[in-house]
Amino acid sequence: MNKKIIFAFSIGAAIGSLVTWGMIKNKYEQMAQEKIAEAQAALDRKQKKTTKTPEDVRAEIETRVEAHEEAVEEYEELIEECGYSTYSRAVNSDPAKQKLIYIIPPWEYGEIDGYDGVELTYWSDGVVTDDLDEPVEDIEGTIGYESLKHFGEYEDDSICVRNDIRKVDYQVLYDERAYSMAILEA
């Protein structure tokens, strides 16, 4: 009789072990599939984020420039309502002065004697910086906001702007990173 009990106990233990092994195997296979799916989804999101076409970049730049222009108009209205000086609006609305800052083809960059050549960076978050990565305070007086709409006319990631007022040719390179993130990385 003892042999039958021991045999029954052994069979029960073996069956219990097989059932437990099967359940644990299924659980960990399911967990592995979920992790793989999460990783694939994260990779897909990252690829969508980093694969911008030149058209996407141009559209993004135009949207930001338009938003900035709208903000400038709102500030000008506020300045006028409050009765503050409108000197800057008068200077910026002078057609003669506006034509003194304009886009040039890359092959004309640095061609005029007496003009300095300066490289700037235009970041995806709308910040323009000099060669020391310091933000340019007077974008309108340096390269003009309108020039930022011209990426892709000659090259997808750069424009050349001549400023006859300052006697400077600017080469503006587009960086897909946000300025705030690039500074944190440095």
Side-chain angles (χ1 to χ4, degrees):
M1 181 105 162
N2 276 341
K3 287 184 182 183
K4 287 183 180 180
I5 292 175
I6 292 173
F7 180 72
F9 178 75
S10 297
I11 295 293
I15 291 173
S17 295
L18 286 173
V19 169
T20 302
W21 175 79
M23 290 174 55
I24 290 173
K25 179 184 171 203
N26 289 341
K27 177 182 177 182
Y28 282 102
E29 282 179 353
Q30 182 181 1
M31 287 173 57
Q33 290 300 323
E34 289 172 0
K35 291 292 184 185
I36 290 170
E38 286 175 18
Q40 185 64 45
L43 181 62
D44 290 345
R45 283 191 305 272
K46 185 174 182 180
Q47 285 177 340
K48 282 182 183 177
K49 220 178 209 182
T50 59
T51 54
K52 292 182 182 177
T53 64
E55 292 79 25
D56 293 338
V57 172
R58 269 189 231 107
E60 186 176 319
I61 290 170
E62 287 179 11
T63 301
R64 289 181 183 191
V65 169
E66 288 170 6
H68 174 78
E69 289 172 347
E70 290 173 8
V72 168
E73 288 176 14
E74 289 176 20
Y75 287 128
E76 286 178 348
E77 290 173 9
L78 182 63
I79 287 170
E80 191 171 313
E81 287 173 13
C82 293
Y84 293 116
S85 169
T86 57
Y87 170 75
S88 63
R89 185 166 44 109
V91 169
N92 291 334
S93 64
D94 182 357
K97 289 199 178 198
Q98 286 180 348
K99 291 180 182 173
L100 297 175
I101 300 174
Y102 50 93
I103 295 292
I104 59 172
W107 55 88
E108 289 184 15
Y109 177 83
E111 288 293 310
I112 297 180
D113 288 336
Y115 276 56
D116 293 327
V118 175
E119 188 175 294
L120 302 175
T121 303
Y122 178 60
W123 302 86
S124 67
D125 55 359
V127 177
V128 177
T129 59
D130 60 20
D131 58 346
L132 299 174
D133 289 334
E134 294 294 324
V136 172
E137 296 297 324
D138 183 18
I139 296 172
E140 186 63 34
T142 304
I143 58 172
Y145 286 104
E146 182 65 28
S147 68
L148 298 174
K149 295 179 180 178
H150 294 272
F151 281 95
E153 286 183 8
Y154 295 102
E155 297 175 5
D156 289 336
D157 60 353
S158 71
I159 56 172
C160 294
V161 180
R162 179 160 293 146
N163 184 323
D164 288 332
I165 300 165
R166 296 183 180 179
K167 297 195 180 304
V168 177
D169 282 351
Y170 294 98
Q171 181 179 28
V172 185
L173 303 174
Y174 180 72
D175 194 315
E176 290 184 358
R177 299 174 297 165
Y179 173 72
S180 56
M181 296 306 293
I183 291 303
L184 291 176
E185 292 172 3

